[in-house]
Amino acid sequence: MPDAGSTAQGTAQGTARAMAEVMAGFARTLRAAGVPADHHREQSFLEALASLDAGSERDVYWAGRLTMCASPDDVPRYDRCFAAYFGGRRPRPGRAGMTVTVIRAIASPYGSGEPETGGETSALPATASEAEVLRHRDVAHLTEAERREVHRLLALLRGERERRSSRRFQPSHRGVLDGRRTVREAVRRGGDPARLRLRAHRDRPRRVVMVVDVSGSMAPYADTLLRFAHALVRTEPRATEAFSAGTRLTRITAELRHRDPDAAMRACSATIPDWSGGTRLGEELKALLRLPDPRGSTVVIASDGWERGSADLLGAQMARLSRVAHRVIWVNPHKGDPAYRPLTAGMRAALPYVTDFVAGHSLAAFEQLAALLGGARADA
């Protein structure tokens, strides 16, 4: 039987590991929102907390703000992430010795969905760990309170883009000779020798075209996928196009440009004529390929692959799409289930032409998808 000292030491080590996991999840949330919370800053954050009270909202806030933020521009994003992740408000510098009571109806590890109440020493780790659990929950199985929490965190997501070289040039310290600027410089100097001026191609965010299946089989996921599309449009409005796919293809980019996610969803609901109907992806991809949008773009298709039309037509259009698009990413919410196998006729026809086949069932899956759009590669 272990003695009391070894038991206490094991409990302390377990608490430290749990706290480190919670703070690592907070760092990931900051990175998704555009705050440069890299590994070194995260380590400094943990070291600062080791000397402070990790159960104090005020200590955690200021330790994170002083170590995670690189510039004043990061502070508003940090405040929003802190409020969303920990459920607290921005503490004022002069408030000391306060007691924080947190009551939040978000995911419970036991699936009860009931709000929990904690004091200063227990509320922070409990609510943060619940938020971390919520990141991996299937959105089809969430309560309304949990779904609102996921949507709030999704609104903080920044859809960074892979960069591509454009045809336009800009002045640069490296590159090819810019003859015109060099000659103009020499003329200004009266013909005296001038420094050679160089130029290089500008880089621009690569366009993303997202097609969201709003058929009946995708009903539990369509709203969350459209909110992810809203986050993409909000981050890069000039480099994002969004469409809904059911029995017809509908462009919804303008509706998703509303700053408020709920207003954008209401606008989409009024615009999309075929909610919860069937899916004819082959015909809709054929319509999409008549447009210039997919050429050179990263195309994201969010669907479970239940095709009511011809699977052969879907395969032929996917083959065409793979030739004109830079990258084709298929997002299937059911891929998050380890037992899932892509056996439907639509998925079998499409998969040979897909660059990345990923899940789309949880907040964590959407964060991974955002990383793919930033230029990362899928692990499998």
Side-chain angles (χ1 to χ4, degrees), residues 86-331:
F86 293 115
R89 293 174 295 178
R90 176 178 179 265
R92 298 177 182 175
R95 295 172 66 186
M98 64 181 180
T99 300
V100 179
T101 301
V102 179
I103 303 176
R104 299 178 68 194
I106 62 173
S108 168
Y110 305 101
S112 65
E114 294 294 326
E116 292 187 11
T117 305
E120 182 181 0
T121 58
S122 61
L124 180 62
T127 55
S129 62
E130 288 172 356
E132 182 66 12
V133 169
L134 188 60
R135 288 180 62 250
H136 299 277
R137 291 278 302 277
D138 191 317
V139 297
H141 304 141
L142 299 180
T143 65
E144 282 303 313
E146 293 167 349
R147 194 181 302 275
R148 286 194 298 269
E149 182 73 6
V150 167
H151 290 169
R152 182 167 63 168
L153 292 173
L154 198 58
L156 298 171
L157 193 66
R158 287 189 60 82
E160 300 296 345
R161 302 299 162 77
E162 181 181 1
R163 311 298 292 185
R164 67 175 182 87
S165 179
S166 72
R167 296 181 179 180
R168 295 181 177 235
F169 286 92
Q170 64 182 359
S172 175
H173 295 295
R174 297 180 180 179
V176 298
L177 177 66
D178 189 338
R180 291 184 179 181
R181 291 180 62 234
T182 301
V183 171
R184 287 198 298 266
E185 180 77 11
V187 170
R188 281 198 299 267
R189 292 173 176 268
D192 291 337
R195 192 178 74 178
L196 296 179
R197 299 295 178 176
L198 304 177
R199 64 179 185 168
H201 286 283
R202 292 180 180 176
D203 66 338
R204 300 174 61 185
R206 186 172 294 280
R207 178 183 292 271
V208 168
V209 177
M210 186 165 184
V211 180
V212 180
D213 184 347
V214 295
S215 64
S217 62
M218 287 288 291
Y221 302 97
D223 181 66
T224 305
L225 285 163
L226 288 172
R227 287 176 183 270
F228 177 79
H230 174 262
L232 297 183
V233 173
R234 187 193 66 241
T235 304
E236 291 287 355
R238 296 184 179 181
T240 309
E241 291 291 341
F243 298 84
S244 69
T247 56
R248 57 176 290 184
L249 188 73
T250 305
R251 190 188 295 266
I252 53 173
T253 310
E255 287 73 18
L256 292 176
R257 286 191 176 131
H258 286 280
R259 293 187 57 138
D260 178 52
D262 293 328
M265 294 305 103
R266 288 193 294 271
C268 286
S269 179
T271 301
I272 298 173
D274 49 358
W275 278 100
S276 300
T279 312
R280 299 185 181 275
L281 276 176
E283 297 176 6
E284 288 152 354
L285 289 182
K286 186 176 182 179
L288 179 67
L289 285 163
R290 296 193 190 105
L291 306 174
D293 301 297
R295 288 165 177 77
S297 303
T298 296
V299 179
V300 181
I301 302 173
S303 174
D304 56 4
W306 283 97
E307 172 68 357
R308 292 186 60 183
S310 169
D312 292 337
L313 176 62
L314 175 59
Q317 300 311 310
M318 286 294 298
R320 289 182 58 200
L321 181 62
S322 68
R323 290 194 293 268
V324 301
H326 169 70
R327 191 176 182 183
V328 179
I329 301 175
W330 193 292
V331 181

